[in-house]
Amino acid sequence: MARYVAAATLARAADGGAVVAVVLLATGSGAPGWLAGLLGASITAPHLLGPFVARSLDTARDGRRVIALACVVHGAAFAAAVLLYPHTWPAVAALLLAASGLAGPLLTGGISSRLPAIAGPDRASQRRAQGWDVATYGLGGTIGPAIVAAASAWASPTVAALILTAATFAAAALVGLLPYAPPPAAGLDVPRPGRTLGLMLASGPLRRTLYMTVTVALSVAVLPIAAVVSTDRLGSGPAAAGILVAAYGLGNLAGSAGLMVRPLRGDADRLMTGFAFAVAAALGCLVVVDGFAFTAVAYAAAGILNAGFFAATLAARSEYAPRQARAQVFVWVGALKITAGSAGTVLAGAVALGSDRVPVALALGLTTACAAASILDRRKARRHGHSTPGP
């Protein structure tokens, strides 16, 4: 488990810091903002194609080799893009970044799909391990950009990018040291990505996992934009926005630490609904509270509750996914989550209009409606006599 946590944190730090490094590299060289944004999108947009890559995990004799290779490809293509960018056309760098981004989903959802085989057979062990996994996402999302910022200030964005490359190579080595697990789909027909999505939509728990994950990801993605816009209303300086975002991140880490000590109990499907309502309550607090201190507490609460929601979605993916498509289910949900987060950021920027409460209120409405819809969805399935599928 220690090797898993180290590998996952390194891989996710590299994945999380890559966009920051690319944007700093482009803007530092005098490139216009639109080009920096295009290069950043080149590494994030291919995540949506992750499910088409993830099938290799369900069919491989040794999934460790697939993930280790993905780490190497991600790092090598990223390093090549960064080193060639000053000396070639931007389109070449964009293509290399797209190749790096295509391997990205295997560094996130792909690694998580290995967790059930590592954590042990009983549900308590699985749930505790999922708390650790949530922590690796939080640590990776915090450490990666921090490394890039520090290394860029100390040396250059190019050096920062090469440090991230080294992290992916180290992650590849650690993945190779994880215990071998036989392929979960041995002797079974592994579905194609489109059919896997169909199986997810036909399964009540997986369907609810999918649309609740997408909605909550979109909703919490408005918070960084709202933090920036809120500084005028709160009468604080621009640096206060960073404090609010940090409060959310620290809350997320605190929530994951709590999940390690006290793992989630109960049905994962219902836990997702409960945590979605809880996240909505935290968003509601942000709509009504005044004062910087109370706002910071609400941001931290949102982070804590989103950690619980994320752990519940990991449990749902692990417990409800069919064996022959488990990795694809993990990556489908992860890919759509990343896409929804990007959409939430764009949406917040479009509707903020000088008020941080507008995007947060919209996120509150979406999350509440989604959680309520999951209850109706579950009741409808019970009326029709559909039982919750097992692993």
Side-chain angles (χ1 to χ4, degrees), residues 27-41:
T27 55
S29 66
W34 65 266
L35 180 57
L38 181 63
L39 291 172

Side-chain angles (χ1 to χ4, degrees), residues 91-389:
V92 174
L95 288 173
L96 288 167
L97 290 172
S100 179
L102 192 59
L106 296 183
L107 278 64
T108 52
I111 292 181
S112 291
S113 71
R114 306 297 297 173
L115 196 58
I118 296 170
D122 63 288
R123 190 165 75 170
S125 298
Q126 294 278 341
R127 296 282 175 90
R128 182 171 286 106
Q130 286 151 9
W132 279 102
D133 207 27
V134 173
T136 67
Y137 278 97
L139 288 170
T142 303
I143 293 172
I147 289 174
V148 170
S152 297
W154 165 65
S156 69
T158 300
V159 172
L162 294 178
I163 291 174
L164 296 182
T165 295
T168 59
F169 291 162
L174 287 168
V175 166
L177 296 176
L178 295 177
Y180 171 79
L188 300 174
D189 176 32
V190 178
R192 297 285 179 183
R195 186 176 156 218
T196 299
L197 182 60
L199 290 172
M200 293 171 65
L201 295 176
S203 163
L206 289 178
R207 179 174 63 249
R208 290 185 284 274
T209 301
L210 191 60
Y211 65 68
M212 278 195 280
T213 298
V214 166
T215 303
V216 172
L218 186 149
S219 297
V220 298
V222 311
L223 294 180
I225 303 298
V228 172
V229 179
S230 70
T231 54
D232 289 338
R233 177 176 63 82
L234 297 173
S236 52
I243 297 174
L244 294 178
V245 175
Y248 173 85
L250 290 172
N252 194 273
L253 289 175
S256 61
L259 292 167
M260 298 172 209
V261 176
R262 186 178 177 83
L264 295 177
R265 298 177 181 177
D267 177 61
D269 191 10
R270 289 176 173 80
L271 284 168
M272 284 188 296
T273 299
F275 275 112
F277 275 122
V279 170
L283 295 173
C285 289
L286 285 170
V287 174
V288 299
V289 298
D290 281 311
F292 180 77
F294 289 114
T295 302
V297 170
Y299 266 82
I304 292 170
L305 295 168
N306 190 46
F309 175 79
F310 185 28
T313 68
L314 288 173
R317 286 183 249 179
S318 177
E319 294 167 17
Y320 303 133
R323 283 194 302 137
Q324 67 270 30
R326 177 169 287 161
Q328 291 185 72
V329 168
F330 268 88
V331 176
W332 259 119
V333 176
L336 293 177
K337 177 183 176 181
I338 290 172
T339 304
S342 300
T345 301
V346 173
L347 178 65
V351 304
L353 301 175
S355 171
D356 61 292
R357 286 174 167 160
V358 173
V360 177
L362 182 58
L364 165 62
L366 287 172
T367 305
T368 303
C370 180
S374 72
I375 295 176
L376 298 176
D377 189 0
R378 198 178 298 113
R379 288 177 178 173
K380 181 180 177 182
R382 276 203 304 268
R383 284 200 303 269
H384 287 79
H386 295 161
S387 61
T388 298

